């Protein structure tokens, strides 16, 4: 399957912004609504938006990924990283859309390399929210999980 057009959640984040920068080079068109246009924490918002989306694929990057923020407020991270993923996944399932979930290699314990069937062993709150969402996404056959590490040009944390 060649990805030509996709809905992109988290388009204003670090990874989402870089993906949008690649559109011209790879002949892909991302439609990246703001979080006020598509609130992943609202099941109704997800269903409404996905049912009207003209593309076949959703790339779900929306997450709270800043480790300090997640440690400060794990409940907010659970709402966005787990419940928000459930909302998007259910909307995609109902509409028959392909779901590409951007995860992280943080779901492992930091000792690698990790193959596709390596057991998860998340150590931080952030990693645990992403691991929980990974397991949920695996219940949908028309999905793909991409586990990656991604930082800007400079590592932003001590």
């Amino acid at each position: 399957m060649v990805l030509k057009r996709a809905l992109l959640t988290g388009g204003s984040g670090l990874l989402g912004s870089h993906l949008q920068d690649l559109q011209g080079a790879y002949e892909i068109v991302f439609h990246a609504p703001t979080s006020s246009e598509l609130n992943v924490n609202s099941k109704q918002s997800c269903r409404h938006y996905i049912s009207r989306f003209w593309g076949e694929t959703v790339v779900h990057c929306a997450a709270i990924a800043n480790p300090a923020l997640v440690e400060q407020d794990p409940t907010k991270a659970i709402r966005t990283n787990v419940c928000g993923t459930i909302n998007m996944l259910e909307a995609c399932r109902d509409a028959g859309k392909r779901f590409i979930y951007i995860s992280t290699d943080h779901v492992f314990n930091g000792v690698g390399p990790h193959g596709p069937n390596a057991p998860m062993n998340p150590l931080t709150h952030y990693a645990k929210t992403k691991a929980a969402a990974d397991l949920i996404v695996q219940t949908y056959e028309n999905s793909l999980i991409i586990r990656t590490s991604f930082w800007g040009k400079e590592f932003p944390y001590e």
Side-chain angles (χ1 to χ4, degrees):
M1 170 185 219
V2 177
L3 187 62
K4 291 289 185 187
R5 55 188 176 178
L7 176 67
L8 178 67
T9 66
S12 64
L14 185 61
L15 179 57
S17 297
H18 282 285
L19 288 175
Q20 289 184 77
D21 289 343
L22 297 174
Q23 290 183 97
Y26 292 96
E27 297 180 17
I28 183 170
V29 175
F30 284 117
H31 177 70
T34 65
S35 58
S36 61
E37 293 171 320
L38 170 56
N39 178 0
V40 299
N41 293 319
S42 164
K43 185 179 286 197
Q44 183 180 25
S45 176
C46 293
R47 289 184 186 277
H48 177 80
Y49 209 94
I50 297 296
S51 69
R52 287 162 178 73
F53 175 62
W54 44 262
E56 300 171 1
T57 304
V58 172
V59 179
H60 183 54
C61 293
I64 297 175
N66 179 317
L69 291 177
V70 174
E71 294 303 315
Q72 240 178 359
D73 191 354
T75 302
K76 184 176 181 181
I78 290 167
R79 269 194 301 271
T80 300
N81 298 359
V82 180
C83 299
T85 300
I86 292 169
N87 293 338
M88 289 299 298
L89 184 70
E90 287 178 348
C92 286
R93 180 179 288 150
D94 291 348
K97 307 285 186 189
R98 179 157 172 88
F99 189 75
I100 299 175
Y101 176 63
I102 306 299
S103 186
T104 177
D105 65 351
H106 288 242
V107 301
F108 304 112
N109 62 5
V111 179
H114 306 287
N117 297 317
M120 289 190 279
N121 185 20
L123 302 177
T124 65
H125 288 315
Y126 167 68
K128 290 173 184 177
T129 65
K130 295 299 278 187
D134 273 28
L135 292 171
I136 293 161
V137 170
Q138 290 177 34
T139 67
Y140 183 40
E141 290 184 15
N142 196 12
S143 68
L144 170 68
I145 297 172
I146 299 173
R147 293 185 186 121
T148 185
S149 282
F150 187 85
W151 300 107
K153 295 176 184 169
E154 294 181 28
F155 189 73
Y157 307 106
E158 295 177 12

